Amino acid sequence: MRRTLFATAVAAAAVLAAAGAQAATTFTSVQGPDGIGQHILFDFESGMPAGLSGNAGIHIGTVANAYAAPMGDATHFLVVPTTGSSGSGILDLGGGYDNISFYWGSIDTYNSVEFFTGVGGTGTSLGVISGGSIPGATGNGAQGTVANNRRVFFDFGTDLAQSVRFTSTNIAFELDDIGTVAVPEPAVWGTMLFGFGLVGATMRRRRLTSVTA
């Protein structure tokens, strides 16, 4: 009986592992920059992040035939390419995240984003998502339409993204305020678990008191 239970547990673990390995990136979007519930990792107000490489730059405002600020964005934002008419930029996220979002401006079919499990665009690719596949967007690059200026949310299932590559084969890919759903730090988790333990102990005492009374 014990062997049967053990074999069943091993088989179940193998199925879960296989499912995790095949997990695909899912994504959705909302109109505008809405970052409610997001912990912002990069707002680009402090210049070039240390983990940014490639043909990318930080700008503010709009310059004809070069870049356009995401709709309603009066702050600094990331532009790819920063020179020329095509290129890619890679950004290390500073940790592994199972979800990421950012405000994507004037979404174009020639914009694409790719997440990786390693830093510097290494490791396993978690999929390439083009501007033409973003729900709700027309992908025609219209700068002044809410349909093409959206916060896009990416979920990697059981995988963790450590870097992201932004690519544009024309002018240009503009984005701002990269964020993630905030996850408690290990110390916070410890405090929470301790609190749950106290609550459980209190409830058990109350039940015992009720029974013995």
Side-chain angles (χ1 to χ4, degrees):
M1 181 64 176
R2 288 181 180 175
R3 289 182 180 176
T4 302
L5 289 174
F6 178 74
T8 302
V10 170
V15 170
L16 289 174
Q22 296 171 3
T25 299
T26 58
F27 51 94
T28 186
S29 71
V30 297
Q31 292 180 354
D34 185 8
I36 295 175
Q38 298 287 297
H39 169 65
I40 301 301
L41 301 172
F42 302 95
D43 62 9
F44 305 110
E45 293 306 301
S46 300
M48 297 282 282
L52 180 63
S53 61
N55 193 351
I58 311 299
H59 297 285
I60 191 169
T62 296
V63 174
N65 301 316
Y67 53 83
M71 190 175 181
D73 192 341
T75 66
H76 291 86
F77 55 92
L78 182 67
V79 175
V80 177
T82 192
T83 58
S85 59
S86 66
S88 296
I90 295 176
L91 176 64
D92 289 338
L93 298 172
Y97 299 94
D98 63 7
N99 70 90
I100 287 292
S101 77
F102 58 81
Y103 184 33
W104 192 337
S106 55
I107 299 172
D108 289 287
T109 55
Y110 50 74
N111 299 155
S112 65
V113 58
E114 184 174 11
F115 294 92
F116 298 88
T117 58
V119 298
T122 64
T124 300
S125 170
L126 299 178
V128 179
I129 298 95
S130 74
S133 64
I134 302 304
T138 63
N140 64 2
Q143 299 171 7
T145 62
V146 292
N148 285 319
N149 290 267
R150 315 177 72 86
R151 177 160 288 273
V152 185
F153 303 85
F154 303 89
D155 188 284
F156 313 117
T158 57
D159 294 308
L160 297 178
Q162 293 199 65
S163 61
V164 54
R165 177 163 59 206
F166 304 103
T167 299
S168 185
T169 58
N170 207 325
I171 303 172
F173 193 150
E174 302 97 343
L175 65 124
D176 201 359
D177 294 333
I178 300 175
T180 184
V181 174
V183 176
E185 296 293 332
V188 177
W189 273 117
T191 302
M192 290 171 63
L193 290 173
F194 178 71
F196 292 151
L198 287 178
V199 171
T202 301
M203 292 177 67
R204 283 195 297 273
R205 279 201 202 95
R206 287 179 178 173
R207 283 199 296 270
L208 287 171
T209 301
S210 175
V211 170
T212 56

